[in-house]
Amino acid sequence: MSDEHSQESSTPVPIVELERLNKHFGNLHVLNDIDLEVSAGEVLVIIGASGSGKSTLIRCINGLEEYQSGQLRVDGKELLPHGKSGQALQAIRTEVGMVFQQFNLFPHLTVRENVTLAPIKVRGLSQQDSGTAAERLLERVGIADQADKYPTQLSGGQQQRVAIARALAMEPRLMLFDEPTSALDPEMIGEVLDVMRELAREGMTMMVVTHEMGFAREVADRVIYIHQGEIIEQGPPHEVFDNPQQERTQNFLSRVLQH
């Protein structure tokens, strides 16, 4: 095998591709010419001040927000601007798991039912197969003993772990996390981050919006800093945190790392 061919075959395959992506809310330019690739198996952590466009960015990736111009592809499928994606959007949503700040669980369903609902309705799994998968996933996130309880009977950390199991039940190629610990009490944050660390170790492709800088430093393959809708800085965690090149990154980190 030639060296040239070896280099080509070892090149990481992008599962997310954004080219000059622009998003507006009325006159507000929320995302400005975003260029970004995320490789399969990569853990990308997105940091920035509130209102910088972090959450909007990942919400565009699974079509929860429409964008106005540029290009967006997920696993080779193109998501068109102005919400014109049709079947491509449905295909993307079956391959992308999303975990929100709020847990968004169905309160009238048990933990097990929350996890099995989408695989049955969307993927057409049988009740038995989806139930078996749910048990495995609840074991994976450490709450198998809570399967027959309702969300209101669980702590916030437990509810968020149910939300992660529910997203994993669709066997996604990509997991998006939108500040998954921001609604949790401090003592519950660690149990959710532990699940996310395990997913990273297992090779799950992840895009994580978070204010947990210790987690970002430990788990991320790459960190990007967004300021007013633009990617200002990106690189391995040790470079971004220990030797930021941009003054705006330095100012942001000096504020958040003091707390």
Side-chain angles (χ1 to χ4, degrees), residues 58-66 79 89 93 98 100:
I58 63 169
R59 288 172 66 87
C60 284
I61 289 170
N62 69 349
L64 290 175
E65 295 286 355
E66 299 175 7
L79 192 60
L89 175 58
R93 283 183 172 168
M98 181 93 180
F100 301 87

Side-chain angles (χ1 to χ4, degrees), residues 72-91:
L72 169 56
R73 289 180 293 275
V74 179
D75 203 19
K77 302 175 184 66
E78 188 163 7
L79 192 60
L80 299 175
H82 303 290
K84 297 179 179 179
S85 300
Q87 291 183 338
L89 175 58
Q90 296 306 314

